[in-house]
């Protein structure tokens, strides 16, 4: 018999389910705005990760109560992926120890350093939720799957649009000069708004989502800023040989 204040209490589990359903409706609406090119895909991934966390946690508690250890393990894995998405996609300092957490993720799950790899990472978690009998879990799985597919498709589209530009040879001095020019605040890192200004000045037309994913693909340490070393490697590596999006 569980205490009424315990998270395993049926009333608390039901409240968690209702909350997840509310967030799910908001996520679907947000997904529609992404399809129209009017919203941040990384924000969508952040919402998707939060949904995975909320739904997986409520289902995990339910599975533990019913001693369904297999589904409990599935929901535990889904929760870990959701939590990882929240850490990776949130603002640099939004979460305590986020820099350390991103470093651990990048070191142990190197695949998430690439756009395609991250899309697959989200897609795997989505299939776990799609296998759930709950309609709510299936809807969340469908939303996260769409986000994962969008990461892969939009990342490749952005890479192709930059291919001709990157095939040009830039001397190190030129690359460093470009970096210093667009590092407006002299922080030693190019922020996203500075990166979009660079693309605009170079005549590259990318959607908001494509620009975000191109930025993500260069930011290998996942700290929401492109350092000079990352910038140099991106522009000095042939797009046919690198692993920025593949």
């Amino acid at each position: 018999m569980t205490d009424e204040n315990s998270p395993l209490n049926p009333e608390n589990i039901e409240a968690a389910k209702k909350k997840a359903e509310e967030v799910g409706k908001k996520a679907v609406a947000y997904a529609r705005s992404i399809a129209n090119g009017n919203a941040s895909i990384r924000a969508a991934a952040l919402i998707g990760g939060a949904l995975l966390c909320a739904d997986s946690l409520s289902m995990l508690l339910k599975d533990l109560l019913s001693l369904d250890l297999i589904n409990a393990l599935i929901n535990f894995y889904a929760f870990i992926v959701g939590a990882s998405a929240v850490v990776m996609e949130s603002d640099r300092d939004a979460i305590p120890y986020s820099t350390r957490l991103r470093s651990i993720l990048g070191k142990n799950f190197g695949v998430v350093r690439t756009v395609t790899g991250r899309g697959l990472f989200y897609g795997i978690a989505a299939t776990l939720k799609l296998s759930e009998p709950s309609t709510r879990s299936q809807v969340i799985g469908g939303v996260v799957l769409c986000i994962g597919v969008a990461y892969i498709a939009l990342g490749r589209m952005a890479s192709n649009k930059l291919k001709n530009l990157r095939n040009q040879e830039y001397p190190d001095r030129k690359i460093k000069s470009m970096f210093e020019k667009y590092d407006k605040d002299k922080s030693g890192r190019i922020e996203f708004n500075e990166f979009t200004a660079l693309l605009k000045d170079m005549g590259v037309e990318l959607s908001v989502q494509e620009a975000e994913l191109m930025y993500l693909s260069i930011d290998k340490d996942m700290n929401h800023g492109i350092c000079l070393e990352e910038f140099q490697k991106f522009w000095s590596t042939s797009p046919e040989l690198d692993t920025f999006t593949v």
Side-chain angles (χ1 to χ4, degrees):
M1 185 174 181
T2 58
D3 184 84
E4 61 179 9
N5 295 320
S6 170
L8 297 177
N9 185 284
E11 292 182 0
N12 292 333
I13 294 175
E14 187 62 28
K17 288 181 180 179
K18 289 181 179 179
K19 186 64 176 178
E21 287 174 357
E22 292 175 4
V23 178
K25 291 178 181 178
K26 293 180 180 179
V28 171
Y30 193 87
R32 289 173 182 160
S33 66
I34 289 176
N36 294 326
N38 299 322
S40 163
I41 190 170
R42 297 194 69 179
L46 175 60
I47 293 172
L51 284 171
L52 279 176
C53 286
D55 183 68
S56 299
L57 184 58
S58 67
M59 296 300 292
L60 175 61
L61 296 175
K62 179 182 176 182
D63 293 335
L64 290 175
L65 277 175
S66 61
L67 299 180
D68 187 349
L69 299 183
I70 294 178
N71 278 322
L73 185 60
I74 290 174
N75 279 298
F76 175 75
Y77 285 148
F79 176 82
I80 293 300
V81 174
S84 298
V86 171
V87 169
M88 291 187 294
E89 309 295 357
S90 60
D91 290 339
R92 184 185 302 167
D93 300 317
I95 299 174
Y97 309 108
S98 58
T99 300
R100 176 59 178 162
L101 292 172
R102 290 189 188 103
S103 176
I104 293 172
L105 284 170
K107 182 178 180 180
N108 294 284
F109 302 96
V111 66
V112 299
R113 292 178 181 270
T114 69
V115 173
T116 297
R118 196 172 295 192
L120 291 172
F121 186 67
Y122 294 155
I124 292 172
T127 58
L128 294 177
K129 301 312 295 179
L130 287 171
S131 67
E132 294 277 354
S134 165
T135 301
R136 184 193 66 242
S137 296
Q138 292 175 0
V139 170
I140 293 173
V143 170
V144 175
L145 180 61
C146 289
I147 292 170
V149 171
Y151 260 62
I152 297 170
L154 291 172
R156 291 188 175 277
M157 288 171 61
S159 180
N160 288 334
K161 288 181 180 180
L162 279 173
K163 183 175 290 186
N164 291 335
L165 193 62
R166 292 183 60 208
N167 273 327
Q168 300 179 31
E169 293 187 5
Y170 295 95
D172 289 343
R173 184 173 60 183
K174 172 66 174 177
I175 295 174
K176 185 176 181 180
S177 175
M178 288 168 57
F179 182 89
E180 292 174 346
K181 176 182 178 181
Y182 290 95
D183 180 19
K184 301 292 187 182
D185 57 2
K186 306 304 177 185
S187 63
R189 287 182 174 272
I190 292 181
E191 309 296 336
F192 179 67
N193 62 324
E194 296 168 336
F195 179 68
T196 55
L198 180 153
L199 294 177
K200 183 178 180 181
D201 290 348
M202 298 186 81
V204 180
E205 294 185 6
L206 298 180
S207 68
V208 173
Q209 297 95 335
E210 289 171 338
E212 284 183 310
L213 296 181
M214 205 72 255
Y215 186 80
L216 181 156
S217 71
I218 305 173
D219 179 25
K220 291 300 184 184
D221 61 8
M222 301 190 295
N223 278 331
H224 297 263
I226 299 173
C227 67
L228 177 59
E229 181 181 355
E230 293 169 333
F231 193 73
Q232 288 175 323
K233 185 174 181 180
F234 178 74
W235 288 107
S236 63
T237 305
S238 170
E240 285 79 14
L241 299 177
D242 70 22
T243 56
F244 285 96
T245 57
V246 297

